[in-house]
Amino acid sequence: MRTRREAIIGAAAFGASAAGLAGAARAQAGRDPIRVGVPTSQTGAYAVLGEEVIRGVQFAVDEANAAGGIDGRQAEFRIGDEQSNPDAARRAAERLAQGGHGLLIGAISSASGLAIAGQLDRWNALYVSTVNKADRLTGEACGRRLFRANHSDAMDLMVVAPWLRGRPERKWGICAADYVWGRDSAAGFTRAAQETGKEVALSVFPPLGTRDYAPYISQLKATELQGVWVVLSGGDAINFAKQARQFGLSAELTIVGHAYIVPTTLRAAGEDVVGSYGVINYDASLDTPQNRRFVEAWRRRFNQDPGEYEAETYTGMRLIFEGVRKAGSTDADKVAQAMNSLEFESPFGMVRMRAEDHQLVMPNLMGRVVRDDGRVHRAIEMTVPVAEATPPPSATCRMG
Amino acid sequence: MTIQILNGLVYGSLLLVLAAGLALIYGLRRVVNFGHGAFYMLGAYAGYTAAQAGGFWAGLAASAVVLALFGAVLDRLVFRALQDRDPLVTVIVTFGLLLVIEDAVQWIWGTEGRSMDAPALLAGSVALGGDAFPVYRLAVIAMAAGLTAALLAWLHRSRAGLFVRAASLDPAITAVQGVNTDAVAMLVTALGAALAGVSGVIAAPFLSLSPAMGGQILVDCFVVVVVGGLGSLGGAALAALLLGQVQVLGAVLLPDIAALIPFLTMAAVLLWRPTGLAGKRL
């Protein structure tokens, strides 16, 4: 005979197992979402680049969600204003990480990226650089939670050095933004120039956000150079390009830019950079099946071609998504572990995250701004395959 | 080096037009207008839009008109309404205005950098000492000199100018003499805002347009007004030209501390003359 007591226990057991089943079903339908934090420039000298980063993130998130999420996880993101300034970057990233958006991506200046990198263990977060070029990020500052999905200064100089060798200009100058990126790139260019038998006769370092470049341009002109290596981006590149043309600098010598002939510069000051050369990290014309699909979808959505920061940020987002898929978790520590030597599809083709220094290995391009039939655009003059475009991992990186 | 002195003069001239507006408003309303940088930016964007349709000079005129109206409304709704409160309250309101205008501009025109062409007449370059120098930059110096001369003539020769000078010296006594000081203040705020707008358009062909442009130049503008002596037009003019030279020579001769030099100059001047170069009003 069933006692009252047994009945109660039975009911409780049934209730418990029903609750357990419901819980399992919930976990299946909506596993915890992938929360991405985007500390990028909404204001400051690099605001225009921040807009590209946000477009890249938005596109990747919408694409993943439209396909049913990553392993059933929906993706979402929150933006914090990094203000093109390392202190603000650290604060913005800290708020994002502590609010649960600890998969960080997309700061603009290398100084901001480095400021975030130093805090990742404390926040239990990870950071994927998609714009920061300073070598230190995958050198002295490298770490197991820190990744770079864009080209470093060293990678860009692997393209510039052979190009420089074939050029007639002997006497060069440098005009570089006065912070870690500009200094890093200037040092790399100086080394490349020495190795190829050229001379760097003058280096000037205008502060980030300089309005009037006249004093620097006048110095470059007075030194009677044959070429200038320009390390400026965002609003700085636009200002410099216009003023260099007004002073006749661009007409009298060869200008080669680092992150300089990018779509934002071409849209605002296209006529002013016609004839300038530069490293091109990504171009919509890149010939891979993945890129053709990416460009087609991008054009449908934004009605223009994707630029480097958009494509590289999209690539960085793909890295995070594939990391989450492999880890089966959204915990930053586990995702970082999974990303360690991940291979995945990107607009650059199949790419690999190098385990030694967490640098994504990619091909690179070099080109020039030209005008045909009144349309100003970039013409690719040199495509450098992965094997030649990739410097070895920095000896200063010690993965902790 | 001659070229560098000329470069300093160009930037100093731009600061002069901008700072003149700030000094005028301070003279009458005793308010440091943090919104001044935003007026400069708004003027540049308004001028840019008008210039798309009617060219540079139309842009310049449109910017002056739009910003003058903006200044008049600001004076009526903010400065006059808050004139009996602690000046700090008004300063905070103008700071809020800066943020609102920056966001509105970003919303309307986007963060994408934009550029405006110099008028065709001033587009080329001339040989100066055997080196090409853009004609437009020389025109900036001329425009600033013309505007300053006109402003000084108006202040010192016209009846309205007399009222402005009187009201900035002592508003209460001036009102007792039968001058409508509220109307004078509104005129001056409108004029100050229009000068900010005009300087934005003057800057547009050689410095590009971005929503950050106002915040960046505002700092230099404050240095000018403080070094010149708060509210003094002549002092601001002198300080603007000085700062232009200091910045350029700093960038060339002491590049490692170039960003600090404007502030070192300000500290040095304030130690020497705590009320600024011209310690008196207008």
Side-chain angles (χ1 to χ4, degrees), chain A residues 200-219:
Chain A
V200 174
L202 173 71
S203 301
V204 292
F205 294 96
L208 180 64
T210 292
R211 295 166 293 281
D212 192 4
Y213 284 90
Y216 307 99
I217 292 171
S218 296
Q219 272 178 285

Side-chain angles (χ1 to χ4, degrees), chain A residues 106-138:
Chain A
I108 307 292
S109 105
S110 289
S112 296
L114 286 165
I116 292 170
Q119 309 290 327
L120 293 172
D121 281 327
R122 202 159 66 79
W123 301 334
N124 183 30
L126 67 80
Y127 172 66
V128 177
S129 152
T130 63
V131 183
N132 316 146
K133 283 184 176 293
D135 288 328
R136 206 178 297 171
L137 222 58
T138 42

Side-chain angles (χ1 to χ4, degrees), chain A residues 4 39 61-62 74 95 98 275 327 329 333 349 357 364 377 387:
Chain A
R4 192 181 172 80
V61 162
D62 291 350
Q74 290 288 299
R95 260 197 307 279
Q98 294 185 342
S329 163
D333 200 30
D357 61 349
N364 212 347
H377 68 100

Side-chain angles (χ1 to χ4, degrees), chain B residues 106-177:
Chain B
Q106 195 153 332
W107 186 64
I108 299 172
W109 284 281
T111 51
E112 190 102 323
R114 285 163 195 270
S115 66
M116 190 167 148
D117 291 330
L121 192 67
L122 307 173
S125 58
V126 286
L128 280 182
D131 218 346
F133 197 83
V135 176
Y136 184 76
R137 287 188 177 242
L138 297 175
V140 169
I141 301 174
M143 285 189 272
L147 279 169
T148 313
L151 197 60
L152 286 174
W154 179 71
L155 279 174
H156 291 278
R157 297 271 179 273
S158 76
R159 202 170 162 76
L162 179 69
F163 293 162
V164 172
R165 281 182 294 140
S168 77
L169 209 59
D170 193 327
I173 299 288
T174 309
V176 167
Q177 304 289 322

Side-chain angles (χ1 to χ4, degrees), chain B residues 10-46:
Chain B
V10 174
Y11 190 60
S13 299
L14 178 69
L15 281 179
L16 166 56
V17 179
L18 187 59
L22 193 63
L24 274 177
I25 295 176
Y26 183 86
L28 263 275
R29 283 302 191 191
R30 294 288 178 274
V31 168
V32 177
N33 177 23
F34 271 76
H36 212 66
F39 292 0
Y40 162 82
M41 170 191 56
L42 188 62
Y45 275 92

Side-chain angles (χ1 to χ4, degrees), chain A residues 42-45 47-49 51-52 55 178 183 205 207 209-219 221-222 235-236 238-239 242-243 246-248 252 263-264 267-269 272 304, chain B residues 3-4 7 10-11 40 102 106 110-118 123-125 131-134 137 204-209 212-213 216-217 220 247-248 251-252 255-256 258-259:
Chain A
Q42 292 182 290
T43 56
V48 61
L49 306 184
E51 214 163 75
E52 290 202 24
R55 270 200 294 273
D178 191 10
R183 296 271 172 182
F205 294 96
T210 292
R211 295 166 293 281
D212 192 4
Y213 284 90
Y216 307 99
I217 292 171
S218 296
Q219 272 178 285
K221 283 179 65 145
D236 289 357
I238 297 167
N239 264 344
K242 289 182 63 169
Q243 297 174 23
Q246 288 164 354
F247 273 95
E252 73 189 37
T264 51
R267 279 197 286 270
D272 301 302
Q304 62 183 20
Chain B
I3 293 283
Q4 295 293 15
N7 283 331
V10 174
Y11 190 60
Y40 162 82
E102 261 184 23
Q106 195 153 332
T111 51
E112 190 102 323
R114 285 163 195 270
S115 66
M116 190 167 148
D117 291 330
S125 58
D131 218 346
F133 197 83
R137 287 188 177 242
F206 70 109
L207 312 178
S208 67
L209 275 67
M213 66 191 279
Q216 290 167 349
I217 206 161
D220 286 347
Q247 286 218 325
V248 167
V252 175
D256 291 339

